[in-house]
């Protein structure tokens, strides 16, 4: 059985976002279409399904780094802010998107809160490992037989 570390992160996050959307356990809030993801951004995300992608990315990040709190996740998802003539600096991402996504993932049973932050539950680990296994099996079937 494959694990999250066995597949490329970009493809894995895309597949996980698709599964989260299909399951209906994670839904973007009403304000998600109009909000920026942080002060370092000038515009809201252009992709219509960006909330599912962020939720999938958070789920993978908690799997690999857990336990992790909202403040550390804000730093990880932050970026460089253009301050005009002054030097650029790193700014943290907005916390509402991360917090809302984590709350929905908790309600779905994939993540749980502990003293040090959030950790992945056995159900969440199983969900992610099944997706990784599917991806590895698909890649093995696509290899041409010699």
């Amino acid at each position: 059985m494959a694990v999250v570390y066995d597949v490329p992160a970009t493809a894995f996050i895309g597949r996980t976002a698709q599964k989260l959307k299909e399951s209906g356990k994670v839904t973007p809030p009403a304000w998600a279409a109009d909000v920026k993801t942080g002060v370092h951004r000038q515009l809201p995300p252009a992709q219509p399904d960006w909330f599912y992608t962020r939720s999938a990315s958070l789920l993978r990040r908690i799997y690999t780094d857990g336990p992790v709190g909202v403040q550390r996740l804000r730093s990880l998802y932050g970026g460089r802010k253009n301050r005009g003539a002054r030097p650029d600096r790193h700014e943290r991402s907005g916390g509402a998107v991360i917090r809302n996504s984590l709350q929905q993932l908790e309600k779905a049973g994939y993540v749980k809160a502990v003293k040090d932050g959030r950790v992945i539950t056995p159900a969440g680990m199983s969900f992610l490992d099944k997706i990784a296994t599917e991806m590895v099996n698909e890649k093995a079937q696509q290899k041409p037989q010699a």
Side-chain angles (χ1 to χ4, degrees):
M1 181 167 186
V3 294
V4 172
Y5 304 106
D6 298 336
V7 293
T10 307
F12 179 76
I13 290 169
R15 178 74 62 91
T16 306
Q18 182 182 17
K19 296 277 187 183
L20 286 173
K21 185 175 182 180
E22 290 170 1
S23 73
K25 293 182 178 182
V26 175
T27 56
W31 46 262
D34 303 322
V35 72
K36 298 190 317 180
T37 55
V39 297
H40 62 288
R41 296 289 182 188
Q42 293 182 0
L43 296 171
Q47 295 84 9
D49 295 338
W50 71 269
F51 191 81
Y52 298 106
T53 305
R54 177 59 60 97
S55 297
S57 177
L58 285 167
L59 197 55
R60 182 185 177 279
R61 180 62 77 167
I62 293 169
Y63 183 101
T64 58
D65 292 347
V68 61
V70 173
Q71 288 299 316
R72 185 179 309 162
L73 290 170
R74 285 183 66 196
S75 293
L76 290 168
Y77 287 97
R80 190 178 69 207
K81 180 175 173 66
N82 181 356
R83 302 187 324 147
R86 295 175 296 173
D88 295 348
R89 327 176 21 169
H90 181 271
E91 294 289 339
R92 290 189 304 232
S93 173
V97 172
I98 293 171
R99 219 174 354 268
N100 191 289
S101 180
L102 288 175
Q103 288 167 354
Q104 290 189 35
L105 290 171
E106 268 187 69
K107 197 177 286 186
Y110 297 144
V111 173
K112 70 177 178 181
V114 294
K115 182 183 177 216
D116 296 329
R118 303 281 199 318
V119 293
I120 196 94
T121 61
M125 197 173 285
S126 172
F127 174 71
L128 294 178
D129 288 344
K130 283 179 187 174
I131 294 170
T133 303
E134 285 176 12
M135 292 179 72
V136 167
N137 290 341
E138 286 174 8
K139 188 171 182 177
Q141 289 176 356
Q142 289 177 356
K143 275 191 178 177
Q145 298 292 331

